[in-house]
Amino acid sequence: MLLENKVAVIYGAGGPIGAAVARAFAREGASVFLAGRTKAKLDEVADEIRSNGGVADTAAVDALSERAVDEYVDAVVEQAGYVDVSFNLISLGDVQEPLVELSVEDFTRPIATAVRTQFLTTRAAARHMITRGSGVILAFGGNGPQTLPGLGGFKVALDAVEGLRRQWACELGPHGIRVVTLKTGGVPETLPDTFPGRDDIVADIEKAALLNRTATLADVGNVAAFVASDLARTITATEVNISCGAIME
Ligand SMILES: NC(=O)c1ccc[n+]([C@@H]2O[C@H](COP(=O)([O-])OP(=O)(O)OC[C@H]3O[C@@H](n4cnc5c(N)ncnc54)[C@H](OP(=O)(O)O)[C@@H]3O)[C@@H](O)[C@H]2O)c1
């Protein structure tokens, strides 16, 4: 197993991507600590993991609260002894509409949310990881010139997180801590059937992919497990492109 004896904290684990990552990490032997706003959603994921023989714990944590995040990570370390992996997958409160129609609040919310929560959750984990001289911080999204009309502040938020990822990678690398983003071209399974314009969005994601397929939730979990594992010990300060070729580098 790739993550035997590892301890991973996953924020937003009640959402489809966080849950997929939690399942994959647990399958690979990690003890997973699932954080989010709604505990019932986290418990559902944790119950499934435990019924498959995995180790999972849940807590309601506001990943935008400095105190809540610091206390949570301290409690995880108190319970598990250490933390190896931190992956923040909370939603950003983005409103995806053309910029000319957007209020400044709706524009800035995802940017402020993404930067604040990624800073807080990384800092809380890093303070413990530094004492052990190892750890992995993961982010999801990715940056670059590719974008689409009508995304509001969403893509700007992902780009901002990449600026932060570079800064963290630079400062944490000397402590043996890797910082990596999974760069996505979109995961159709995360879009509910009732999502407005779903079919067109999925068609666009599929059309852009070079491989005639798109990333599944299982794919996201598998790549995240590999990147979090010691097999990926050379990988830091970069993105790992899981777009099936949709995003050309
Ligand atoms: N799906 C894609 O293709 C794609 C592409 C690029 C980027 N992303 C980004 O990847 C992330 C995960 O996607 P997803 O579809 O799994 O997300 P999601 O279902 O929209 O949200 C994930 C979870 O975040 C939790 N959350 C929100 N605010 C929080 C807070 N302040 N503290 C703690 N937890 C909080 C929510 O908990 P509650 O339900 O309890 O509110 C929710 O369960 C999102 O940021 C998304 O924008 C996704």
Side-chain angles (χ1 to χ4, degrees), residues 11-19 35-39 41-42 60-65 88-94 96 113 117 140-142 154 158 184-191 205 217:
Y11 300 87
I17 297 194
R37 282 187 303 209
T38 311
K39 196 161 177 303
K41 287 189 196 173
L42 303 168
V61 179
D62 179 358
L64 291 167
S65 159
N88 189 327
L89 290 154
I90 75 163
S91 47
L92 305 179
D94 44 302
Q96 299 202 1
T113 299
T117 192
F140 192 77
F154 179 63
L158 299 186
T184 175
V187 184
E189 278 174 279
T190 62
L191 290 171
I205 296 172
L217 285 170

Short mmCIF file of all heavy atoms in Angstrom, two decimals, residues 11-19 35-39 41-42 60-65 88-94 96 113 117 140-142 154 158 184-191 205 217, ligand 1:
data_model
loop_
_atom_site.label_atom_id
_atom_site.label_comp_id
_atom_site.label_asym_id
_atom_site.label_seq_id
_atom_site.Cartn_x
_atom_site.Cartn_y
_atom_site.Cartn_z
N TYR A 11 -9.72 18.48 3.97
CA TYR A 11 -10.79 19.46 4.20
C TYR A 11 -11.76 19.43 3.02
O TYR A 11 -11.33 19.33 1.86
CB TYR A 11 -10.19 20.87 4.32
CG TYR A 11 -9.20 21.02 5.44
CD1 TYR A 11 -7.85 20.72 5.24
CD2 TYR A 11 -9.61 21.45 6.71
CE1 TYR A 11 -6.93 20.86 6.28
CE2 TYR A 11 -8.70 21.58 7.74
CZ TYR A 11 -7.36 21.29 7.52
OH TYR A 11 -6.45 21.41 8.54
N GLY A 12 -13.03 19.52 3.31
CA GLY A 12 -14.03 19.43 2.24
C GLY A 12 -14.27 17.99 1.83
O GLY A 12 -14.68 17.73 0.69
N ALA A 13 -14.05 17.07 2.76
CA ALA A 13 -14.15 15.65 2.43
C ALA A 13 -15.59 15.19 2.26
O ALA A 13 -15.84 14.04 1.87
CB ALA A 13 -13.45 14.81 3.49
N GLY A 14 -16.56 16.06 2.52
CA GLY A 14 -17.95 15.72 2.26
C GLY A 14 -18.33 15.96 0.80
O GLY A 14 -19.39 15.54 0.34
N GLY A 15 -17.49 16.64 0.06
CA GLY A 15 -17.74 16.88 -1.37
C GLY A 15 -17.21 15.73 -2.20
O GLY A 15 -16.47 14.88 -1.70
N PRO A 16 -17.57 15.69 -3.48
CA PRO A 16 -17.19 14.54 -4.30
C PRO A 16 -15.68 14.34 -4.44
O PRO A 16 -15.18 13.22 -4.38
CB PRO A 16 -17.82 14.82 -5.67
CG PRO A 16 -18.30 16.24 -5.63
CD PRO A 16 -18.46 16.63 -4.20
N ILE A 17 -14.94 15.43 -4.60
CA ILE A 17 -13.49 15.28 -4.80
C ILE A 17 -12.82 14.92 -3.47
O ILE A 17 -12.00 13.99 -3.41
CB ILE A 17 -12.89 16.55 -5.44
CG1 ILE A 17 -13.53 16.72 -6.83
CG2 ILE A 17 -11.37 16.46 -5.52
CD1 ILE A 17 -12.90 17.68 -7.75
N GLY A 18 -13.17 15.63 -2.42
CA GLY A 18 -12.60 15.30 -1.11
C GLY A 18 -12.90 13.87 -0.70
O GLY A 18 -12.03 13.16 -0.18
N ALA A 19 -14.12 13.41 -0.96
CA ALA A 19 -14.50 12.03 -0.60
C ALA A 19 -13.71 11.02 -1.43
O ALA A 19 -13.26 9.98 -0.92
CB ALA A 19 -16.01 11.83 -0.81
N ALA A 35 -12.46 16.66 7.42
CA ALA A 35 -12.98 17.90 7.98
C ALA A 35 -13.89 18.58 6.98
O ALA A 35 -13.69 18.48 5.77
CB ALA A 35 -11.82 18.83 8.34
N GLY A 36 -14.90 19.27 7.49
CA GLY A 36 -15.83 19.99 6.63
C GLY A 36 -16.85 20.70 7.49
O GLY A 36 -16.75 20.68 8.72
N ARG A 37 -17.81 21.34 6.83
CA ARG A 37 -18.79 22.07 7.61
C ARG A 37 -19.89 21.16 8.16
O ARG A 37 -20.32 21.30 9.28
CB ARG A 37 -19.42 23.18 6.75
CG ARG A 37 -18.53 24.37 6.59
CD ARG A 37 -19.21 25.50 5.89
NE ARG A 37 -19.71 25.16 4.58
CZ ARG A 37 -19.85 26.01 3.57
NH1 ARG A 37 -19.53 27.27 3.74
NH2 ARG A 37 -20.31 25.62 2.42
N THR A 38 -20.35 20.22 7.33
CA THR A 38 -21.50 19.38 7.71
C THR A 38 -21.01 18.00 8.11
O THR A 38 -20.58 17.21 7.26
CB THR A 38 -22.49 19.28 6.54
OG1 THR A 38 -22.75 20.58 6.04
CG2 THR A 38 -23.79 18.62 6.97
N LYS A 39 -21.09 17.69 9.42
CA LYS A 39 -20.50 16.45 9.90
C LYS A 39 -21.19 15.21 9.33
O LYS A 39 -20.55 14.19 9.07
CB LYS A 39 -20.53 16.42 11.43
CG LYS A 39 -19.60 15.36 12.02
CD LYS A 39 -19.29 15.62 13.46
CE LYS A 39 -18.41 14.53 14.04
NZ LYS A 39 -18.96 13.18 13.94
N LYS A 41 -22.29 14.63 6.38
CA LYS A 41 -21.71 14.25 5.08
C LYS A 41 -20.38 13.54 5.28
O LYS A 41 -20.06 12.58 4.57
CB LYS A 41 -21.48 15.50 4.23
CG LYS A 41 -22.70 16.15 3.65
CD LYS A 41 -22.25 17.23 2.65
CE LYS A 41 -23.36 18.19 2.32
NZ LYS A 41 -22.90 19.31 1.49
N LEU A 42 -19.61 14.03 6.22
CA LEU A 42 -18.29 13.43 6.48
C LEU A 42 -18.45 12.04 7.07
O LEU A 42 -17.72 11.10 6.72
CB LEU A 42 -17.50 14.30 7.46
CG LEU A 42 -17.28 15.76 7.04
CD1 LEU A 42 -16.74 16.57 8.21
CD2 LEU A 42 -16.32 15.84 5.85
N ALA A 60 -16.38 18.57 12.40
CA ALA A 60 -16.88 19.81 11.79
C ALA A 60 -15.86 20.91 12.07
O ALA A 60 -15.57 21.21 13.23
CB ALA A 60 -18.24 20.17 12.38
N VAL A 61 -15.29 21.43 11.00
CA VAL A 61 -14.24 22.46 11.13
C VAL A 61 -14.50 23.51 10.05
O VAL A 61 -14.65 23.17 8.88
CB VAL A 61 -12.83 21.86 10.88
CG1 VAL A 61 -11.76 22.94 11.00
CG2 VAL A 61 -12.54 20.70 11.82
N ASP A 62 -14.52 24.77 10.45
CA ASP A 62 -14.60 25.84 9.46
C ASP A 62 -13.18 26.13 8.98
O ASP A 62 -12.37 26.69 9.73
CB ASP A 62 -15.23 27.09 10.09
CG ASP A 62 -15.32 28.24 9.10
OD1 ASP A 62 -14.86 28.08 7.93
OD2 ASP A 62 -15.82 29.32 9.48
N ALA A 63 -12.91 25.76 7.75
CA ALA A 63 -11.55 25.89 7.22
C ALA A 63 -11.17 27.33 6.88
O ALA A 63 -10.11 27.58 6.33
CB ALA A 63 -11.39 25.00 5.99
N LEU A 64 -12.06 28.26 7.23
CA LEU A 64 -11.72 29.68 7.08
C LEU A 64 -11.41 30.32 8.43
O LEU A 64 -11.06 31.50 8.50
CB LEU A 64 -12.89 30.44 6.44
CG LEU A 64 -13.14 30.09 4.97
CD1 LEU A 64 -14.49 30.63 4.50
CD2 LEU A 64 -12.02 30.64 4.10
N SER A 65 -11.57 29.55 9.50
CA SER A 65 -11.34 30.07 10.85
C SER A 65 -9.93 29.70 11.31
O SER A 65 -9.59 28.52 11.43
CB SER A 65 -12.39 29.51 11.82
OG SER A 65 -11.92 29.59 13.14
N ASN A 88 -6.58 20.43 0.90
CA ASN A 88 -7.73 21.31 1.08
C ASN A 88 -8.60 21.27 -0.17
O ASN A 88 -8.16 21.69 -1.24
CB ASN A 88 -7.26 22.73 1.36
CG ASN A 88 -8.40 23.65 1.77
OD1 ASN A 88 -9.52 23.49 1.31
ND2 ASN A 88 -8.11 24.59 2.63
N LEU A 89 -9.85 20.81 -0.01
CA LEU A 89 -10.77 20.68 -1.15
C LEU A 89 -12.12 21.31 -0.85
O LEU A 89 -13.16 20.83 -1.32
CB LEU A 89 -10.91 19.19 -1.49
CG LEU A 89 -9.63 18.59 -2.10
CD1 LEU A 89 -9.54 17.11 -1.85
CD2 LEU A 89 -9.55 18.91 -3.57
N ILE A 90 -12.10 22.39 -0.09
CA ILE A 90 -13.39 23.03 0.22
C ILE A 90 -13.90 23.81 -0.99
O ILE A 90 -13.12 24.22 -1.86
CB ILE A 90 -13.32 23.95 1.47
CG1 ILE A 90 -12.61 25.28 1.17
CG2 ILE A 90 -12.71 23.24 2.66
CD1 ILE A 90 -12.88 26.36 2.21
N SER A 91 -15.20 24.01 -1.03
CA SER A 91 -15.78 24.83 -2.10
C SER A 91 -15.46 26.31 -1.83
O SER A 91 -15.18 26.70 -0.70
CB SER A 91 -17.29 24.60 -2.18
OG SER A 91 -17.85 24.67 -0.89
N LEU A 92 -15.52 27.11 -2.88
CA LEU A 92 -15.00 28.49 -2.78
C LEU A 92 -16.08 29.57 -2.79
O LEU A 92 -15.78 30.75 -2.69
CB LEU A 92 -14.02 28.74 -3.94
CG LEU A 92 -12.87 27.73 -4.05
CD1 LEU A 92 -11.98 28.07 -5.24
CD2 LEU A 92 -12.06 27.69 -2.76
N GLY A 93 -17.34 29.18 -2.91
CA GLY A 93 -18.41 30.18 -2.93
C GLY A 93 -18.41 31.03 -4.19
O GLY A 93 -18.84 32.18 -4.18
N ASP A 94 -17.91 30.44 -5.28
CA ASP A 94 -17.81 31.20 -6.53
C ASP A 94 -19.16 31.33 -7.21
O ASP A 94 -20.00 30.43 -7.12
CB ASP A 94 -16.80 30.53 -7.48
CG ASP A 94 -16.96 29.03 -7.54
OD1 ASP A 94 -16.87 28.37 -6.48
OD2 ASP A 94 -17.23 28.50 -8.64
N GLN A 96 -20.38 31.78 -10.95
CA GLN A 96 -19.80 31.70 -12.30
C GLN A 96 -20.71 32.39 -13.30
O GLN A 96 -21.62 31.78 -13.86
CB GLN A 96 -19.51 30.24 -12.65
CG GLN A 96 -18.52 29.62 -11.67
CD GLN A 96 -17.79 28.41 -12.20
OE1 GLN A 96 -17.98 28.00 -13.32
NE2 GLN A 96 -16.93 27.83 -11.36
N THR A 113 -11.55 33.42 -0.29
CA THR A 113 -11.77 32.13 0.38
C THR A 113 -10.63 31.17 0.07
O THR A 113 -10.07 30.54 0.98
CB THR A 113 -13.11 31.51 -0.11
OG1 THR A 113 -14.16 32.40 0.23
CG2 THR A 113 -13.35 30.15 0.52
N THR A 117 -8.07 30.03 3.08
CA THR A 117 -8.16 28.67 3.60
C THR A 117 -6.91 27.86 3.25
O THR A 117 -6.43 27.07 4.06
CB THR A 117 -9.45 27.97 3.12
OG1 THR A 117 -9.62 26.77 3.86
CG2 THR A 117 -9.42 27.64 1.62
N PHE A 140 -5.78 21.68 -5.34
CA PHE A 140 -6.53 21.19 -6.50
C PHE A 140 -6.96 22.35 -7.36
O PHE A 140 -7.49 23.34 -6.85
CB PHE A 140 -7.76 20.41 -6.02
CG PHE A 140 -8.42 19.62 -7.11
CD1 PHE A 140 -7.87 18.42 -7.53
CD2 PHE A 140 -9.58 20.07 -7.71
CE1 PHE A 140 -8.47 17.69 -8.54
CE2 PHE A 140 -10.19 19.34 -8.72
CZ PHE A 140 -9.62 18.15 -9.13
N GLY A 141 -6.76 22.25 -8.66
CA GLY A 141 -7.20 23.31 -9.57
C GLY A 141 -6.17 23.52 -10.65
O GLY A 141 -6.26 22.93 -11.72
N GLY A 142 -5.18 24.36 -10.37
CA GLY A 142 -4.11 24.61 -11.33
C GLY A 142 -4.23 25.97 -12.00
O GLY A 142 -5.32 26.54 -12.09
N PHE A 154 -13.61 32.50 -10.23
CA PHE A 154 -13.16 31.13 -9.94
C PHE A 154 -11.75 30.85 -10.44
O PHE A 154 -10.87 30.43 -9.69
CB PHE A 154 -14.15 30.13 -10.54
CG PHE A 154 -13.76 28.70 -10.32
CD1 PHE A 154 -13.68 28.18 -9.03
CD2 PHE A 154 -13.48 27.87 -11.39
CE1 PHE A 154 -13.32 26.86 -8.81
CE2 PHE A 154 -13.11 26.54 -11.19
CZ PHE A 154 -13.04 26.05 -9.89
N LEU A 158 -8.06 30.11 -8.57
CA LEU A 158 -7.13 28.99 -8.78
C LEU A 158 -5.74 29.51 -9.08
O LEU A 158 -4.73 28.96 -8.61
CB LEU A 158 -7.63 28.09 -9.92
CG LEU A 158 -9.00 27.42 -9.74
CD1 LEU A 158 -9.25 26.45 -10.90
CD2 LEU A 158 -9.12 26.68 -8.42
N THR A 184 -6.45 20.22 -12.97
CA THR A 184 -7.59 19.51 -13.56
C THR A 184 -8.15 20.23 -14.78
O THR A 184 -8.14 21.47 -14.85
CB THR A 184 -8.70 19.34 -12.49
OG1 THR A 184 -9.84 18.76 -13.11
CG2 THR A 184 -9.11 20.68 -11.90
N GLY A 185 -8.67 19.44 -15.69
CA GLY A 185 -9.40 20.00 -16.82
C GLY A 185 -10.90 19.85 -16.60
O GLY A 185 -11.70 20.08 -17.51
N GLY A 186 -11.29 19.45 -15.37
CA GLY A 186 -12.70 19.25 -15.04
C GLY A 186 -13.00 17.77 -14.81
O GLY A 186 -12.46 16.91 -15.50
N VAL A 187 -13.84 17.53 -13.82
CA VAL A 187 -14.21 16.16 -13.47
C VAL A 187 -15.73 16.04 -13.62
O VAL A 187 -16.48 16.44 -12.72
CB VAL A 187 -13.77 15.82 -12.02
CG1 VAL A 187 -14.08 14.36 -11.70
CG2 VAL A 187 -12.30 16.14 -11.80
N PRO A 188 -16.21 15.55 -14.77
CA PRO A 188 -17.65 15.56 -15.04
C PRO A 188 -18.50 14.93 -13.93
O PRO A 188 -19.62 15.39 -13.66
CB PRO A 188 -17.76 14.77 -16.35
CG PRO A 188 -16.46 15.01 -17.03
CD PRO A 188 -15.44 15.09 -15.93
N GLU A 189 -17.99 13.89 -13.27
CA GLU A 189 -18.78 13.23 -12.22
C GLU A 189 -19.17 14.16 -11.07
O GLU A 189 -20.08 13.84 -10.32
CB GLU A 189 -17.97 12.07 -11.61
CG GLU A 189 -18.01 10.78 -12.38
CD GLU A 189 -17.04 9.80 -11.73
OE1 GLU A 189 -15.83 9.90 -12.01
OE2 GLU A 189 -17.49 8.97 -10.94
N THR A 190 -18.44 15.27 -10.92
CA THR A 190 -18.76 16.16 -9.79
C THR A 190 -19.97 17.04 -10.08
O THR A 190 -20.48 17.70 -9.18
CB THR A 190 -17.56 17.09 -9.45
OG1 THR A 190 -17.30 17.92 -10.59
CG2 THR A 190 -16.33 16.31 -9.09
N LEU A 191 -20.38 17.09 -11.33
CA LEU A 191 -21.51 17.96 -11.68
C LEU A 191 -22.83 17.20 -11.50
O LEU A 191 -23.07 16.21 -12.19
CB LEU A 191 -21.40 18.40 -13.15
CG LEU A 191 -20.28 19.40 -13.47
CD1 LEU A 191 -20.15 19.56 -14.99
CD2 LEU A 191 -20.56 20.75 -12.83
N ILE A 205 -15.73 19.59 -21.84
CA ILE A 205 -14.60 18.94 -21.14
C ILE A 205 -14.14 17.73 -21.97
O ILE A 205 -12.95 17.52 -22.18
CB ILE A 205 -15.01 18.50 -19.71
CG1 ILE A 205 -15.34 19.71 -18.84
CG2 ILE A 205 -13.90 17.68 -19.06
CD1 ILE A 205 -15.92 19.37 -17.47
N LEU A 217 -13.53 10.50 -10.75
CA LEU A 217 -13.20 10.71 -9.34
C LEU A 217 -12.17 9.69 -8.87
O LEU A 217 -11.27 10.02 -8.09
CB LEU A 217 -14.48 10.61 -8.49
CG LEU A 217 -15.41 11.82 -8.59
CD1 LEU A 217 -16.74 11.53 -7.92
CD2 LEU A 217 -14.74 13.06 -7.97
N1 LIG B 1 -15.17 19.56 -9.84
C1 LIG B 1 -14.26 20.04 -10.65
O1 LIG B 1 -14.13 19.64 -11.81
C2 LIG B 1 -13.32 21.10 -10.14
C3 LIG B 1 -12.45 21.74 -11.00
C4 LIG B 1 -11.57 22.69 -10.51
C5 LIG B 1 -11.58 22.99 -9.16
N2 LIG B 1 -12.47 22.37 -8.33
C6 LIG B 1 -12.47 22.73 -6.93
O2 LIG B 1 -12.18 21.58 -6.13
C7 LIG B 1 -12.80 21.72 -4.85
C8 LIG B 1 -13.59 20.45 -4.53
O3 LIG B 1 -14.63 20.27 -5.47
P1 LIG B 1 -15.99 19.55 -5.07
O4 LIG B 1 -16.85 19.52 -6.26
O5 LIG B 1 -15.70 18.27 -4.33
O6 LIG B 1 -16.52 20.64 -4.00
P2 LIG B 1 -17.95 20.87 -3.30
O7 LIG B 1 -18.75 19.64 -3.27
O8 LIG B 1 -18.58 22.04 -3.88
O9 LIG B 1 -17.49 21.28 -1.81
C9 LIG B 1 -16.67 20.50 -1.03
C10 LIG B 1 -16.98 20.67 0.43
O10 LIG B 1 -16.38 21.86 0.95
C11 LIG B 1 -17.01 22.07 2.20
N3 LIG B 1 -16.76 23.43 2.68
C12 LIG B 1 -17.13 24.60 2.11
N4 LIG B 1 -16.73 25.65 2.86
C13 LIG B 1 -16.08 25.12 3.93
C14 LIG B 1 -15.44 25.68 5.06
N5 LIG B 1 -15.37 27.00 5.25
N6 LIG B 1 -14.88 24.85 5.95
C15 LIG B 1 -14.92 23.52 5.78
N7 LIG B 1 -15.52 22.92 4.72
C16 LIG B 1 -16.10 23.71 3.82
C17 LIG B 1 -18.47 21.83 1.92
O11 LIG B 1 -19.08 21.37 3.09
P3 LIG B 1 -20.66 21.59 3.32
O12 LIG B 1 -21.32 20.73 2.28
O13 LIG B 1 -20.89 21.10 4.68
O14 LIG B 1 -20.94 23.04 3.11
C18 LIG B 1 -18.44 20.76 0.79
O15 LIG B 1 -18.86 19.50 1.24
C19 LIG B 1 -13.68 22.99 -4.93
O16 LIG B 1 -12.96 24.10 -4.43
C20 LIG B 1 -13.85 23.18 -6.43
O17 LIG B 1 -14.10 24.52 -6.77
C21 LIG B 1 -13.33 21.44 -8.79
#
